[in-house]
């Protein structure tokens, strides 16, 4: 007990320091004066060094030896998280960790330049270094019997594995491709929303929607940033948004998405504050919250009716003349080059492509030099489109430049989990649509908070979902939902 | 050399961490959601603990032993700062430092409640604890032959002493009191500016003035806060402002004041970034910059003419019908209870009162229970007014509640230094007023940057001033300036 208490006191300070590091990142992206960047890099470097020293402090190992697992579920879960984190962090040699940090920090700038110049060859040497370093990292992390990719996936999804991810994808792919082809063959293409939309009114509407989805400004704030994100855990979880005068849906749905991430963090029981249980349990579960807020709830027919009314109030008559046309416009399903702009049908095909290619890079089945060709072939096959330039293809995402290999599958995992949660939510809340039609998301977000969010890291990711759903997660509910929704929209 | 290099690398990280701690304070006062306060307190506590551990790291002592002083002035100055800081920090026993932090943290809340309730007795037990702890702190800090108050003054003004401070005050007091009495007996009382002033326009004007005084938004920003302050060193120095619809001078002059503080930090040679020389050398020298920007420049007749024009542009005709009446309004000299609202003539009498009372508290000549009576007697004597309630008297400042005993003299020191600097500035820039009349402060702020600000901590405080002035600082220039300025305004 004493060892546990001391360990948790140490951990609490580490968690507080992590929040500080996160807050500096928020500051950099929202309010920091431009000229402060070099100093900020040093400040963040010092914090990273101190955090690494704390996370690898040998005293943690000594405490873990003494603190036996406990029948108390909270204590047992805390020990499980700390044990896993300590094992993984200490397995990476310090010089490898420093080299990965150095190379990926530089590579992100080089990637941005290469993307702007449409020059994959300019980025290829960096990616080769990153793949080589990531293999070393995976070798250091892998437990006996695990593949390199297993070890990498677990960096983002504790308990995940290559077999788990590919199993999901194999089960989804045929039905997704069939749905995609039916939509393409339907001859239907709903009209998009067109026009110009005052950015201050967009901002006000996005704020109204964040509050409607339960965002608490007593523990958060909304600022402008180049990219929307959610930042922080515990009592201070901030989101950002951006506006585009020609595309209000960008602002609206990215804000609802980030409100989902923030809602998860803010929904965790306050008793877990600054402990390993006080943050979302995995990226996949996190993404399930952002995606169910954004898509299953925010892009539902019922909520679309409410949003159509609010937008008509704010912007006057819309190019989509009624709620049905508006609903079709927010759910246009068309192939496109860019993952982050993809609709619900095509999104997971983007993810699968990246996942297969990064697995091949790590295993050595694919050389970096052959990556653009492999990307473009696969894209032509899956989307029926020819990639016209690297920024529309292999250079579009920053993830690999940042060393985040094994991250992409969590996006699809989030969608699969969101599908399961929505099925359970509709089972438990048969009147959900009448509330959503009135703009009231409280029954839905309240259900998610009560059944999932409040637990934070108490349960492992699949158990977190299965406890909320009261069934084990599978791809079925998501695919059923997509076939129903887009079948109706496209008259399939 | 190796020891010096290692020491400086260690120091650089400590400085970066101090900037992080400062940034968290800025965040708390400007953008933090209210509900985040308990978590933020833990975050700041962890940073304070890590900073204390770094500042008292025995390795610093070992490096200092090995790093001999050097003929290179930058290296010698860095070693002097680090040696002094290490000696002072390590002399305070850890349990005393923790107790001071704990008591003063609580006392500030209790002070705020006592002030709101006009209840000195509610605060007295805290102040008794603080005086007792501060005596222990001073005993730990004092070098042989130094008084307790010497040791305390040096916390804020390196190289300062009780004799230095009281010597200044003794030299100033008779002429200040005589000037005050002549003004009171003049029968003149210029009309104040009256009216309502749009807060957004005040904000825009304050921003324009900050830029006019050389503030660099590439390395700073201006936000609203309850109290105006400047925060940060190096490449990121932020200021805050507040607006009052009935009193635009509050916003204008506090912004110019904070621009002076920020201008000093931003004016330091970038080669000193994140070293002990990379911040203002003392509170007295810092205040000289904020006060010369605010008063000697900002409240000059020449600049008042420019400001009158800009305010007329923004707000229409003013109650002060011409630039002379406007100039008289911004320089009204009247006794008042509140230090922070005092004019240039009365301000230093407020400071002297506090300095004498806190010296008596520390020496034991005055008991906390007798403090309100002593305050009110002295106030009646110096200002000719009867204190009506504690919030207008002994409870008005937070300093003592925060444990800042020995701080007040630096305000007057800043005014004295500002007087010297203005005399030198006018000597070197005979055409200064024609630039100021056109709203151009660049000659003045450029002179200050070149002759003072850029050195940061390179020279000790008095040498910093005497190098800029090319004469040793005395009280004469400030008193001459005040007698000339207010003599003309009040026809003395």
């Amino acid at each position: 007990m004493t060892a546990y208490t001391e360990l948790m006191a140490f951990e609490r300070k580490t968690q507080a320091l992590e929040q500080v590091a996160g807050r500096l990142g928020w500051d950099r992206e929202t309010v920091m004066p431009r000229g402060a960047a070099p100093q900020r890099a040093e400040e963040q470097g010092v914090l990273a060094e101190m955090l690494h020293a704390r996370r690898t402090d040998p005293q943690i190992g000594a405490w873990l030896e003494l603190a036996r697992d406990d029948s108390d579920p909270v204590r047992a879960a805390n020990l499980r998280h700390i044990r896993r984190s300590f094992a993984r962090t200490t397995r990476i040699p310090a010089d490898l960790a420093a080299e990965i940090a150095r190379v990926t920090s530089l590579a992100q700038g080089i990637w941005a330049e290469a993307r702007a110049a449409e020059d994959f060859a300019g980025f290829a040497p960096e990616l080769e270094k990153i793949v080589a370093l990531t293999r070393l990292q995976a070798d250091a992390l892998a437990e006996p019997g695990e593949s390199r990719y297993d070890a990498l996936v677990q960096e983002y999804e504790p308990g995940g594995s290559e077999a788990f991810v590919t199993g999901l994808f194999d089960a989804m792919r045929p039905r997704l491709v069939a749905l995609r082809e039916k939509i393409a063959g339907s001859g239907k293409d709903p009209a998009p929303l067109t026009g110009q939309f005052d950015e201050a009114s967009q901002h006000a509407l996005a704020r109204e929607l964040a509050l409607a989805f339960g965002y608490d400004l007593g523990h958060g704030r909304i600022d402008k940033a180049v990219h929307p994100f959610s930042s922080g855990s515990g009592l201070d979880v901030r989101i950002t948004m951006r506006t585009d005068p020609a595309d209000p849906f960008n602002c609206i749905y990215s804000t609802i998405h980030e409100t989902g991430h923030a809602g998860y963090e803010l929904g965790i029981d306050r008793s877990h504050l600054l402990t390993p249980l006080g943050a979302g349990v995995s990226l996949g579960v996190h993404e399930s919250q952002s995606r169910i807020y954004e898509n299953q709830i925010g892009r539902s027919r019922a909520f679309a009716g409410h949003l159509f009314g609010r937008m008509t109030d704010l912007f006057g008559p819309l190019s989509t003349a009624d709620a049905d046309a508006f609903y079709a416009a927010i759910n246009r399903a068309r192939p496109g080059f860019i993952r982050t702009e993809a609709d619900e049908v095509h999104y997971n095909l983007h993810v699968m492509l990246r996942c297969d290619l990064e697995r091949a890079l790590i295993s050595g089945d694919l050389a970096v030099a052959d990556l653009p060709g492999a990307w473009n072939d696969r894209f032509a096959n899956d989307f029926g489109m020819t990639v016209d330039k690297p920024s529309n293809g292999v250079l579009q995402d920053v993830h690999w430049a940042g060393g985040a290999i094994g991250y992409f599958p969590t996006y699809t995992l989030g969608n699969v989990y969101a599908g399961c949660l929505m099925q359970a939510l509709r089972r438990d809340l048969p009147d959900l649509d009448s509330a959503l039609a009135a703009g009231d998301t409280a029954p839905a977000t309240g259900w998610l908070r009560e059944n999932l969010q409040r637990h934070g890291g108490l349960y492992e990711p699949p158990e977190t979902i299965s406890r909320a759903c009261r069934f084990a997660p599978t791809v079925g509910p998501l695919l059923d939902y997509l076939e129903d929704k887009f079948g109706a929209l496209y008259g399939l």
Side-chain angles (χ1 to χ4, degrees), chain A residues 110 135 366 429 464:
Chain A
I110 294 167
R135 284 183 191 148
L366 178 65
L429 300 173
T464 300

Side-chain angles (χ1 to χ4, degrees), chain A residues 221-240:
Chain A
R221 51 181 290 127
I222 308 174
D223 293 271
K224 287 191 185 174
V226 175
H227 299 288
F229 64 92
S230 165
S231 156
S233 292
L235 304 181
D236 192 348
V237 184
R238 305 181 186 184
I239 63 174
T240 67

